[in-house]
Amino acid sequence: MRIKTTITQDDYAAFVKHVARFVSPPAGNKTIQRLIGVGVGLAIAFVASVVDLSAHAKTLALFFSGVIAGIVLLLAVISGISRRQMLRMRPAEDGFILGSQETILEDEALRQKSEHHQALFQWSLLRQIHVAEQHVFIMFDRVAGIILPRRDFSSDEERERFVNEIEQRSGKRRT
């Protein structure tokens, strides 16, 4: 079996989001956010008690306004840096990730090829098959895999046959 695909920047962005969820579950992010919030609150309380700002209501209000403004500025700077890094990490239009590709299911391995590359992945290397709303992700490592956009399958039945064949050959079940 084989499928021809065309991978876009949007497909790659969906893959990155999938990898982020797979590597770092959302529950971990919430715990970290809560710990940071508690830490900031404790730091403010400590500073207020050391400086005894509670006796001066006007000074206390200015202090907290400054802290909040500083936190907002810090978050804006971090967000800007993160956005720039994400843009720099996008794959090149003429590289091997984007563009036309063909994925072929062979007896001994899964082959992916394009104008720029050819890769052979042994079935034993396959870790996860994830069928998402718009994509099928075939994961060979925590952060590496093949992107199959659903739009490139001629029908849902063809996609099902393709995924079933991967499951049969690899011995893995979809998530």
Side-chain angles (χ1 to χ4, degrees):
M1 293 187 83
R2 64 181 60 218
I3 181 153
K4 292 185 179 191
T5 59
T6 301
I7 308 302
T8 66
Q9 290 286 1
D10 289 339
D11 296 324
Y12 182 74
F15 177 76
V16 169
K17 286 179 184 175
H18 169 72
V19 167
R21 280 191 301 271
F22 181 66
V23 171
S24 175
N29 293 339
K30 288 180 183 176
T31 302
I32 291 171
Q33 291 170 353
R34 288 181 185 136
L35 287 173
I36 290 172
V38 168
V40 168
L42 289 173
I44 290 171
F46 174 75
V47 169
S49 68
V50 168
V51 183
D52 193 28
L53 292 176
S54 58
H56 309 286
K58 196 174 193 178
T59 306
L60 182 62
L62 289 172
F63 172 75
F64 284 124
S65 296
V67 167
I68 290 171
I71 290 171
V72 168
L73 180 63
L74 178 65
L75 291 175
V77 168
I78 290 171
S79 176
I81 291 170
S82 177
R83 208 172 283 121
R84 272 185 267 124
Q85 277 185 312
M86 289 301 290
L87 287 173
R88 283 194 302 255
M89 290 175 56
R90 293 175 71 172
E93 294 292 334
D94 61 347
F96 77 93
I97 294 174
L98 302 179
S100 297
Q101 300 180 5
E102 186 174 22
T103 302
I104 306 159
L105 308 183
E106 299 177 352
D107 288 338
E108 60 282 344
L110 184 147
R111 182 179 305 274
Q112 184 186 49
K113 61 183 184 174
S114 74
E115 181 181 329
H116 304 294
H117 84 291
Q118 187 168 172
L120 190 66
F121 300 96
Q122 302 300 320
W123 290 115
S124 60
L125 184 62
L126 194 140
R127 291 180 181 235
Q128 178 191 42
I129 308 159
H130 180 77
V131 179
E133 188 176 322
Q134 298 297 321
H135 299 88
V136 174
F137 300 117
I138 305 169
M139 302 302 295
F140 292 101
D141 205 329
R142 287 185 294 165
V143 297
I146 294 176
I147 306 165
L148 301 174
R150 280 188 164 198
R151 67 178 177 273
D152 290 329
F153 290 97
S154 63
S155 66
D156 288 343
E157 291 77 24
E158 181 191 25
R159 186 196 73 250
E160 275 302 305
R161 281 193 308 276
F162 201 84
V163 171
N164 288 339
E165 187 70 25
I166 294 170
E167 287 178 326
Q168 182 181 10
R169 291 175 188 248
S170 69
K172 302 285 179 162
R173 296 289 168 233
R174 73 187 85 188
T175 60

